[in-house]
Amino acid sequence: MPESPDYEPVIGLEIHIQLQTETKMFCGCKLEFGAEPNTHTCPVCLGHPGALPMTNEQAVEYAIRVGLALGCEIAPRSIFHRKNYFYPDNPKAYQISQYDIPICSGGRLGDVRIHRAHLEEDAAKLTHVGESGRIHGSDASLVDFNRGGTPLIEIVTEPDIHDPAEAREWLTLLRETIRQLGVSDVNMEEGSLRADGNVSIRPVGSKELGVKTELKNMNSFRFLERGIAAEIERQKAIVASGGRVEQETLHFDPASGSLTSLRSKEEAHDYRYFPEPDLLPLAPSPEHVEEVRASLPELPAERRVRYESELGLSPDAAKLLAYDAALASFYEEAVAAEPDVDPIVVANWVTGELVAASREAGFEHPAETKADAAGVGAVARMVDGKEISRGSGRELLAELVANGGDPAEVSERLGLTSDDGDDLAAIVAAAIEAQPDAAAKVKAGEGKAIGAIIGVVMRETKGRADGGEATRLIREQLGL
Ligand code: ADP
Ligand code: ZN
Ligand code: MG
């Protein structure tokens, strides 16, 4: 059998996000998740003939915010189209969307280019009730028109992603960015963020795109990651056995890990888009766009760059902190409280010990423990300044996480500050005396033998001694 070439996955994402405006996209109905079904409806969103839509200015402003945050161009003039399809979630038999001229185009977030982002309206919510709701012997579906007409922004990426985990990570960055813009609660369980994954493979080195399939309606980033991974394997297997990938839309079942076809290319819809005659074009003035730009907060991607370039954090630490707004502000508060401590040292405590201690203590988020930012900063300073050992610092932090308090007082109360240099030197001297064989080996150049002496030091200090400092003292006392 000839050697088969290696294949590279190519992934592009399409994300629908509900904008959290007061009212719907084209009518005055209130938006309220979880309301009694069909209580927020009117002739416009129920598609009554002759009812006229009006564009929600707040939704347009939110779309501009999203577009600018993603580095897009905001079109000086864009229009709405009717996307025609027949389904019970849509009483007009068309969705108002944007087609050839979206409000936002081009852009980038992290390592992924944005193709476009456009405004549209959501469909009504269908609930398939099956047996329990059978009508005339058939399974039944219920329609809730409250969701119909909710403003959506659809974000379409370029196919720049090459691995399922990267897709998940990037979606997390996007979600955090949108959340911090304050335009959506981006809650996947409630359906305010929905992601589709487009997947193809191609021989490594090839620049051409392969035939893609589309994974629809994934309701968690983890499932999307797993679904994309399964689809890549499926495509590789097809190609390996001499077959060809067919263009189709797939459903991934996370429970069984299986992929099933929803529709093939032949069944693809022809939406017969045409310009919406009842709505004016969107034409935001350049001044307005600049006002919106000026009002944007610092966003995760920029913050990450600042943490790396100004504070000197590693890319991993910068990402961990910057992509999580609550952790980022906690970290910055800790840094501000301890201007003499290297921000890298503070970052290590926050991303390392604090994250671990809060998980251990069962907190949902490291910024929500009983330890405040200044306290964590103080622990970093005390250990960094050799006031207490690293082990003591860990113990102190665990206590602050569980019960809070003033770091100096707590460390006094726990007796953590007593292991000062002289004491440690004495403990080291005793440990050397207790381990004469190990001491001889270390002197003879057998570096590993030092472990036995350090073991005694740690036992005597209940793990509170600073390992580095203990090693230094042992070598010093052995005349090395
Ligand atoms: P369609 O016409 O099927 O809607 P688009 O060109 O509009 O396809 O792209 C939709 C999404 O699919 C985008 O996110 C895009 O990046 C992605 N995409 C397009 N072609 C491919 C491909 N060959 N492999 C993976 N993703 C792709
Ligand atoms: Zn309405
Ligand atoms: Mg498309």
Side-chain angles (χ1 to χ4, degrees):
M1 210 168 80
E3 181 95 7
S4 67
D6 278 342
Y7 283 89
E8 168 192 58
V10 177
I11 303 159
L13 300 169
E14 292 167 288
I15 306 98
H16 288 88
I17 295 169
Q18 289 183 346
L19 298 173
Q20 217 166 19
T21 50
E22 301 287 316
T23 55
K24 293 186 181 180
M25 187 66 222
F26 299 113
C27 64
C29 290
K30 248 185 77 185
L31 283 178
E32 185 188 359
F33 182 83
E36 180 77 12
N38 298 308
T39 50
H40 298 309
T41 61
C42 74
V44 173
C45 57
L46 289 177
H48 290 189
L52 284 176
M54 285 248 296
T55 303
N56 181 335
E57 289 301 320
Q58 197 183 16
V60 176
E61 165 131 3
Y62 283 3
I64 295 173
R65 275 176 87 74
V66 172
L68 291 174
L70 300 178
C72 295
E73 289 289 328
I74 307 301
R77 183 180 178 283
S78 68
I79 61 171
F80 287 105
H81 269 74
R82 291 185 180 181
K83 178 179 178 179
N84 296 281
Y85 73 92
F86 181 74
Y87 203 63
D89 64 3
N90 177 9
K92 297 198 297 288
Y94 61 84
Q95 175 194 31
I96 304 178
S97 182
Q98 295 196 291
Y99 183 49
D100 49 356
I101 315 175
I103 182 164
C104 314
S105 55
R108 166 183 293 276
L109 178 68
D111 297 330
V112 177
R113 288 170 302 152
I114 305 295
H115 177 59
R116 60 183 276 165
H118 67 254
L119 272 167
E120 59 186 32
E121 58 177 341
D122 207 348
K125 186 175 163 65
L126 287 182
T127 308
H128 303 287
V129 289
E131 298 267 346
S132 64
R134 284 168 87 88
I135 296 171
H136 304 312
S138 303
D139 289 355
S141 296
L142 303 174
V143 192
D144 177 6
F145 289 101
N146 287 350
R147 197 182 76 178
T150 299
L152 291 179
I153 187 159
E154 178 178 340
I155 299 166
V156 182
T157 77
E158 297 292 351
D160 285 350
I161 301 171
H162 299 287
D163 136 44
E166 192 193 340
R168 174 179 49 74
E169 225 180 75
W170 186 83
L171 282 167
T172 309
L173 169 62
L174 176 71
R175 180 174 59 188
E176 208 48 54
T177 302
I178 302 288
R179 197 201 312 278
Q180 290 174 36
L181 287 173
V183 301
S184 173
D185 60 9
V186 284
N187 183 332
M188 289 193 92
E189 268 137 52
E190 294 183 357
S192 51
L193 186 156
R194 312 193 291 266
D196 304 338
N198 296 274
V199 183
S200 65
I201 57 171
R202 65 183 172 195
V204 169
S206 159
K207 288 281 158 248
E208 262 167 67
L209 290 171
V211 172
K212 74 171 160 69
T213 58
E214 184 170 6
L215 291 169
K216 273 279 186 209
N217 289 329
M218 302 302 298
N219 60 4
S220 96
F221 292 167
R222 287 269 164 216
F223 292 165
L224 185 72
E225 177 185 3
R226 282 179 47 207
I228 291 174
E231 175 55 10
I232 291 167
E233 288 316 307
R234 191 188 69 91
Q235 292 187 11
K236 282 184 179 170
I238 290 174
V239 172
S241 64
R244 280 167 160 230
V245 174
E246 302 284 343
Q247 185 181 323
E248 59 186 333
T249 304
L250 300 165
H251 170 72
F252 175 69
D253 175 20
S256 64
S258 67
L259 292 151
T260 45
S261 183
L262 292 177
R263 67 177 108 93
S264 68
K265 190 179 182 179
E266 288 71 44
E267 301 160 285
H269 299 296
D270 176 358
Y271 294 117
R272 298 188 179 275
Y273 280 96
F274 68 87
E276 165 61 67
D278 293 337
L279 287 166
L280 291 169
L282 298 177
S285 72
E287 294 76 27
H288 181 59
V289 171
E290 288 319 307
E291 259 172 53
V292 177
R293 195 193 303 277
S295 77
L296 294 182
E298 183 185 39
L299 294 163
E302 304 164 70
R303 196 182 293 133
R304 174 185 171 185
V305 170
R306 180 166 64 83
Y307 284 177
E308 284 185 45
S309 63
E310 285 178 22
L311 303 183
L313 303 194
S314 70
D316 281 346
K319 198 152 67 168
L320 263 170
L321 293 167
Y323 287 8
D324 179 333
L327 200 59
S329 53
F330 188 93
Y331 168 64
E332 294 197 21
E333 207 184 308
V335 168
E338 296 293 344
D340 295 335
V341 180
D342 188 339
I344 299 175
V345 171
V346 180
N348 287 340
W349 277 91
V350 173
T351 60
E353 306 297 349
L354 177 67
V355 167
S358 79
R359 195 176 298 141
E360 184 117 320
F363 287 94
E364 284 242 332
H365 190 278
E368 281 168 8
T369 75
K370 296 276 170 59
D372 58 19
V376 175
V379 174
R381 165 177 41 76
M382 289 160 86
V383 175
D384 198 45
K386 304 236 182 315
E387 250 178 82
I388 59 175
S389 68
R390 172 158 286 275
S392 294
R394 251 186 236 128
E395 204 175 327
L396 174 56
L397 188 70
E399 174 61 19
L400 294 177
V401 160
N403 298 309
D406 175 74
E409 274 170 36
V410 173
S411 110
E412 189 72 49
R413 172 158 55 77
L414 298 179
L416 300 176
T417 36
S418 61
D419 54 328
D420 60 3
D422 289 351
D423 285 358
L424 188 59
I427 291 167
V428 163
I432 290 173
E433 234 175 80
Q435 296 285 336
D437 292 353
K441 283 184 186 160
V442 175
K443 273 183 142 170
E446 234 183 273
K448 272 191 290 183
I450 204 168
I453 306 173
I454 292 198
V456 175
V457 172
M458 289 301 172
R459 199 166 65 223
E460 289 304 311
T461 59
K462 300 198 177 65
R464 287 172 193 165
D466 183 294
E469 181 62 6
T471 304
R472 193 188 65 76
L473 284 167
I474 293 165
R475 296 182 61 82
E476 183 182 278
Q477 294 187 17
L478 292 175
L480 295 169

